[in-house]
Amino acid sequence: NRTNNCLWENIEVPYGIWDFSVENISAYPREVREGDYVNITVVVSNLGYRSGDVDVGFFTNYTDFAAGNQERFKRIGTIRSIHLEPGEKRNVSFEWRANIHGGMHSIIAVADPDNKYDEDDDIREVGDSILFIGDTGNNVKRCIIHVIPANISILNLTIEPDAPEIGDRVNIIAHVKNENVSESADSLLKFYMEREISERWRSCSWESTQLSLSLLQPEDSLMRIHFASIDIRSGNVIQRRGEVYCYTEDSIGNCKPLHFYVREGNQMIKVQKISWNAPGCICYDKNYRRIDCTSESVVNKRWEDIWTDFAYGNKLIVIAKGDLSSSGDGETELLIDKYQLLLGNKTLSLRPGESKSYNATWNVSLPPGGYPIIVEGYPTLNGVKKREVCLSGNYTIIVNIGDKIYKEEIFLGGTDLAVTNVSVNGVVWEEEAPPLEVMDGDIVEINATISNFGGLNASNFTVRFCDVLKDVGKEKIIEEKNVSLLESGRLMNFSILWNASLRTKIGSKYYDSYNHTIRVEIVTREELEEDIANNEVSVPIYVKKSRNFAIVNLSFEIDNKTYYSESGKVYFELGGNVTINATLNITNHANRGGVVNVSFYVDEVEEGNEIGSKIVEFEANITNGTKYAEITWKVEGIAGDHDIIVMVDPNDRMVEFDESDNELIQKIHVYASDLLIERLEVCPENPMKGEDVSINITVANRGNKNESNVTLGVYELRGRR
């Protein structure tokens, strides 16, 4: 019988060799005043199979009243290295001063809070936080105490100076009072500065790997930033790499990562970065319908109402990365709506009925780089590659005692330079008005009024007048006015003259444009400005044709005799001097005269064929006026039939009503001699050495001009045939 050769029994093998547990927690007294001491006692045991030195951490919940009443947990103390043998229990106590706002608070004890041991029933963690609500495991135990709030009221808040400006060091004074006339009161007073910005930025995979936002301060400060929402979109279900993370850097270069607070269930959880797998999100499909986050159809995740930790430094950096693996649809979008500085914590201790004043300071100097917020990387939603947020603007000073919040709105003043009035030839331009009309060639008077509405004097800025050629997308600076000082509340007037032109030279090229914009802009330090939107005004102007030049007649004076183009071909003699006179018909409706070039050519309008030119001046406001251009030409280098071409504005510098009448052609004939050797006789043809030779030469002039004093050269060419 072999069936009884083997015997077995099921046994339970423990998962972990350590298992620490908090079996009980109590606090005494259960009700205390703010600032009183509480004795916390816990029973901690070792349910595992090996001894160990376990830590017990103590935590409590609190409300961050400056962060929209978000509930947080903080560590209030730790008892280190409690030695426990397997199965052993020990009572340990911890004394804590309840420097916390009034209300009901959980006192939580956690065995092995830093997770040094691999336990059978370990603590539950989400992100970088221990779960204190729900299924917490046997490492966590809690009890409740009630903290009686200190009856301290905030009487008022004083800001000095009351209208601060950029560069000031603002003194914030809170006047508080202990309303309890029979007992003293202890509490904590916190000063915050908050600024709303409400800017949306995004980082897309098809343009850039990341977006960088820098929150800058003039000196090291405690600061944090708030995201109304963070969206990560990804079409790649295998790899989703979009993420957002933050860190601070102090004035000596030390860096520290920041945590985000996200809501997971009923507890705020700390995470080091927002990524696809981070907790606390809402999930959507491709049609932006909310769905369960376990669905494979999730393509968009959103986190809302997210604060970072406070961290110390003069620079807070936010990095947002798009999902490069998503083939163009991996976008990370941020809506940052505010940031805060913690200006100071003051511990209060007030006698019954006592009033006191406490203060904190806020340095509102310009930070390095000039702007409190600089964004670089993928463009913002309005397409700008780099964006700065100016220091000047609205701020909120927040003072917090216990559960009491006091807020004071202030405006931080800077310069506010504005172009408040622009007139063209005395006509003030109004918004939405049709374009003003001027003539080509007009001298246009442009007047601009520059005001400083800010609380800060403006210095060393420039008022620039630009001519924008809208038809071709070019622009040219007309004139610049440098200003050394414009005091707060004052204004200055500037006047320039602009030569309106349909054909404008920019660099070495000419551009035609009927539609112009005169832009008056203030070039200043934008970081000092309260409002940069009013730093420029653009006035549309339509430039109309105003000129016409026509060559209507030519005359030639030869030997005191005048010939006109109507008489047909004109005859010249080679070497003679001819006076050529061109008659111009000029129309100019502009309010300014000018000059035009008239050039004379032989046969072709080319630089090498030019025989002379004349600059002709003309007056303003003329119609069919007559002007003359005259040159003297010595006829040489040509003979026979040719053309004299006279052209006005040969380089086409001006736009005219009619460009076809700029040229007049006159046919000419140049008389010239035509000398030739008709006969050469040598007699005898084969002379002997020493014999005289007779050379007979016949010279003829077959041309139509006599020649005199002609030299005839006769040469002996030896050795040639």
Side-chain angles (χ1 to χ4, degrees), residues 122-160:
D122 217 336
I123 59 175
R124 311 290 195 264
E125 289 184 306
V126 176
D128 294 325
S129 294
I130 301 171
L131 275 183
F132 298 123
I133 300 173
D135 182 12
T136 61
N138 65 1
N139 288 48
V140 178
K141 221 55 163 198
R142 73 172 62 217
C143 66
I144 304 296
I145 67 168
H146 178 246
V147 177
I148 302 170
N151 189 13
I152 299 176
S153 61
I154 303 171
L155 300 178
N156 59 65
L157 194 62
T158 303
I159 310 294
E160 296 177 348

Side-chain angles (χ1 to χ4, degrees), residues 62-67 72 74 169-170 172 188-195 215 217 219-225 248 258 307-314 316 338-347 359-363 395-401 405:
Y62 70 98
T63 301
D64 191 338
F65 294 101
R72 308 278 173 81
K74 66 178 179 179
R169 187 171 285 273
V170 180
I172 304 163
L188 186 65
L189 175 65
K190 297 181 180 180
F191 294 86
Y192 300 88
M193 181 284 295
E194 180 177 281
R195 186 182 188 187
L215 172 61
Q217 293 299 308
E219 59 189 12
D220 289 336
S221 309
L222 281 167
M223 51 185 169
R224 65 179 174 182
I225 199 164
T248 55
L258 270 75
W307 280 100
T308 67
D309 276 333
F310 272 112
Y312 190 72
N314 64 352
L316 190 157
K338 54 191 164 187
Y339 65 91
Q340 288 181 348
L341 303 182
L342 180 56
L343 302 177
N345 289 325
K346 303 291 183 179
T347 300
N359 77 297
T361 58
W362 172 32
N363 183 358
Y395 292 80
T396 303
I397 300 299
I398 302 173
V399 177
N400 170 222
I401 297 180
I405 286 284

Side-chain angles (χ1 to χ4, degrees), residues 194-262:
E194 180 177 281
R195 186 182 188 187
E196 294 189 1
I197 49 178
S198 294
E199 293 283 353
R200 188 183 298 273
W201 288 280
R202 62 184 177 183
S203 175
C204 289
S205 59
W206 61 88
E207 285 285 345
S208 173
T209 58
Q210 72 177 37
L211 173 144
S212 171
L213 181 145
S214 301
L215 172 61
L216 305 170
Q217 293 299 308
E219 59 189 12
D220 289 336
S221 309
L222 281 167
M223 51 185 169
R224 65 179 174 182
I225 199 164
H226 182 260
F227 302 83
S229 63
I230 297 176
D231 286 83
I232 296 180
R233 302 182 183 95
S234 179
N236 188 330
V237 298
I238 299 175
Q239 293 180 325
R240 285 161 163 165
R241 298 175 179 172
E243 62 181 9
V244 181
Y245 60 91
C246 300
Y247 65 92
T248 55
E249 182 179 325
D250 64 20
S251 56
I252 60 174
N254 296 320
C255 295
K256 179 183 178 182
L258 270 75
H259 283 85
F260 300 84
Y261 283 97
V262 298

Side-chain angles (χ1 to χ4, degrees), residues 652-669:
D652 205 20
R653 297 290 186 254
M654 301 183 190
V655 178
E656 303 176 49
F657 292 116
D658 184 2
E659 302 278 356
S660 65
D661 53 4
N662 285 23
E663 178 182 283
L664 190 62
I665 301 175
Q666 173 64 47
K667 292 191 175 298
I668 65 170
H669 183 87

Side-chain angles (χ1 to χ4, degrees), residues 363-375:
N363 183 358
V364 291
S365 301
L366 288 173
Y371 295 93
I373 293 179
I374 299 176
V375 183

